[in-house]
């Protein structure tokens, strides 16, 4: 994820640039302050948006098409306050570290 570029850059294993995924913004689909990402077993890209960004997890197809997002700013269940890390379990459970909530 590219914090200042507000995008995800994809490269080959030998470092050749392939493309960018997503645009900058706050609506459904554009990224604001992408912090970390992971890839699920189907190849979908899950991205956390924190540090005063959208405070959510956005999901993209490998071709860059926006699929879905979840979460919003807050302290209730399902809300985030600076989500900064993301991981997946083998069964597909999504784990999100949240620096702002207790």
């Amino acid at each position: 994820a590219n914090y200042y570029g507000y995008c995800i850059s994809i490269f080959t294993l030998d470092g050749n640039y392939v493309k960018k995924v997503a645009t900058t913004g706050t609506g459904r689909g554009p990224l604001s302050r992408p912090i970390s990402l992971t890839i699920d077993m189907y190849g979908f890209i899950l991205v956390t948006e924190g540090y005063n960004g959208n405070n959510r997890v956005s999901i993209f197809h490998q071709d860059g098409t926006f699929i879905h997002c979840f979460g919003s700013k807050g302290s209730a269940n399902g809300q985030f306050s600076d989500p900064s890390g993301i991981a997946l379990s083998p069964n597909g459970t999504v784990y999100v570290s949240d620096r702002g909530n207790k």
Side-chain angles (χ1 to χ4, degrees):
N2 182 337
Y3 178 78
Y4 292 105
Y6 293 80
C7 68
I8 300 164
S9 298
I10 299 175
F11 297 85
T12 63
L13 285 176
D14 58 356
N16 292 317
Y17 175 81
V18 176
K19 65 180 171 182
K20 288 183 186 176
V21 174
T23 59
T24 302
T26 57
R28 294 178 56 85
L31 293 173
S32 177
R33 309 281 175 141
I35 303 302
S36 64
L37 62 84
T38 191
I39 310 293
D40 75 3
M41 65 182 125
Y42 303 105
F44 295 116
I45 304 166
L46 290 82
V47 184
T48 59
E49 299 175 71
Y51 299 135
N52 297 314
N54 290 328
N55 287 289
R56 66 183 180 198
V57 173
S58 289
I59 305 170
F60 297 88
H61 189 275
Q62 287 180 352
D63 68 7
T65 304
F66 172 75
I67 297 171
H68 178 67
C69 63
F70 62 89
S72 61
K73 185 165 182 60
S75 59
N77 290 336
Q79 292 185 315
F80 301 112
S81 179
D82 198 5
S84 55
I86 190 165
L88 294 168
S89 71
N91 71 358
T93 301
V94 179
Y95 294 87
V96 179
S97 59
D98 188 347
R99 296 172 10 135
N101 279 324
K102 297 178 182 180

